[in-house]
Each structure stands twice: as C-alpha cells, then as structure tokens.
C-alpha cells in the first residue's frame, strides 16, 4: 500500500507557535501581518508552508456551524499568506461539549502524521476531557 506523506516530511525547519501562560505569539511578518491569531501556527520558511490550526469545543449540534465560522474568520489570513508566497491552510480540531470528536479533526491528525492507532487514543482522550 502507498504510504501517505505527512505534513512534516516536506521540510526540516518547522516551528510551532501557540500562546502560553507567559506570552502570546505573533505570526511572523514574512508570512502575514495581522492581529489575528489562530490557536496554533506551524510553519516552514524553507518550504514556505504554513498551517493554522483552530481549536473549538461547541455543543455537538453546532460543530459544523463553528467549523465554517472559524474557517471564514481566517480566510483573509490564508489569502494574504498565499499572496506572500506561502502554501497556507487552516485546519480545525473540534471536540463537542459532550465529547464528540469530528471527522475533520481526524483529517487534521492524519495530515500531521499521527498514526491511526494514536488517532484512536487521542480521540478517546479528547472525548473524556
């Protein structure tokens, strides 16, 4: 069987940015100048790749609504990063308030190279938070 190439295999200079208790991150200006800050920013200047990940925990019946709302919120960010020469994507990880982990979340996990076995473990752990 053909092995799927994960996001990480494209470069070896990846940086991961996210807020901490001590500080808020800023997206590097060579990618995009913005005040928007998705929950996670993963980028490679070598390959000009950027992946924004947005986390959300809505009521299960509102998962699709919030996915679209988050993706729409960051659409201009994606377009500007692309205009600056970056291959830009925005993925979501959604865990419903009662523990439902959405299929797009699993797509994000696969994109990041997380094995199916580990996806099952992560899904179980997330559903119990």
């Amino acid at each position: 069987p053909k092995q799927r190439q994960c996001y990480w295999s494209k470069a070896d200079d990846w940086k991961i940015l996210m807020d901490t208790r001590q500080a808020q991150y800023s997206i590097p200006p060579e990618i995009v100048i913005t005040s928007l800050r998705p929950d996670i920013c993963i980028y490679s200047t070598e390959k000009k790749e950027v992946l924004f990940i947005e986390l959300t925990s809505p009521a299960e019946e509102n998962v699709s609504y919030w996915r679209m709302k988050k993706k729409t919120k960051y659409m201009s960010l994606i377009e500007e990063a692309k205009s600056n020469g970056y291959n830009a994507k925005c993925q979501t990880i959604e865990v419903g308030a009662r523990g439902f982990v959405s299929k797009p979340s699993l797509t994000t996990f696969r994109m990041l190279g997380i094995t199916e076995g580990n996806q099952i473990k992560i899904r179980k752990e997330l559903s119990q938070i």
Side-chain angles (χ1 to χ4, degrees), residues 67 94 100-108 110 123:
R67 177 183 320 115
E94 303 126 358
F100 170 76
V101 179
S102 71
K103 283 189 178 186
S105 298
L106 301 179
T107 300
T108 302
R110 273 192 302 280
R123 189 177 197 177

Side-chain angles (χ1 to χ4, degrees), residues 8-101:
W8 305 111
S9 64
K10 296 179 182 183
D12 59 7
D13 69 328
W14 293 105
K15 292 187 176 50
I16 300 174
L17 304 174
M18 66 183 104
D19 289 347
T20 65
R21 289 184 180 158
Q22 293 80 23
Q24 293 182 335
Y25 82 90
S26 295
I27 297 171
E30 64 270 16
I31 298 172
V32 63
I33 295 173
T34 182
S35 60
L36 292 175
R37 236 179 33 257
D39 293 312
I40 302 170
C41 173
I42 303 172
Y43 71 97
S44 163
T45 51
E46 174 189 323
K47 291 293 182 179
K48 295 195 88 118
E49 294 270 346
V50 63
L51 174 63
F52 300 111
I53 300 175
E54 187 63 17
L55 312 172
T56 187
S57 185
E60 274 71 0
E61 57 274 13
N62 295 323
V63 166
S64 294
Y65 168 81
W66 281 104
R67 177 183 320 115
M68 292 313 305
K69 188 149 177 89
K70 298 273 184 160
K71 289 217 175 210
T72 300
K73 177 179 180 180
Y74 295 111
M75 199 173 296
S76 64
L77 188 70
I78 297 297
E79 292 307 314
E80 188 174 340
K82 286 180 177 180
S83 74
N84 289 333
Y86 277 79
N87 180 24
K89 291 183 170 73
C90 182
Q91 294 292 119
T92 56
I93 296 176
E94 303 126 358
V95 180
R98 295 183 294 277
F100 170 76
V101 179

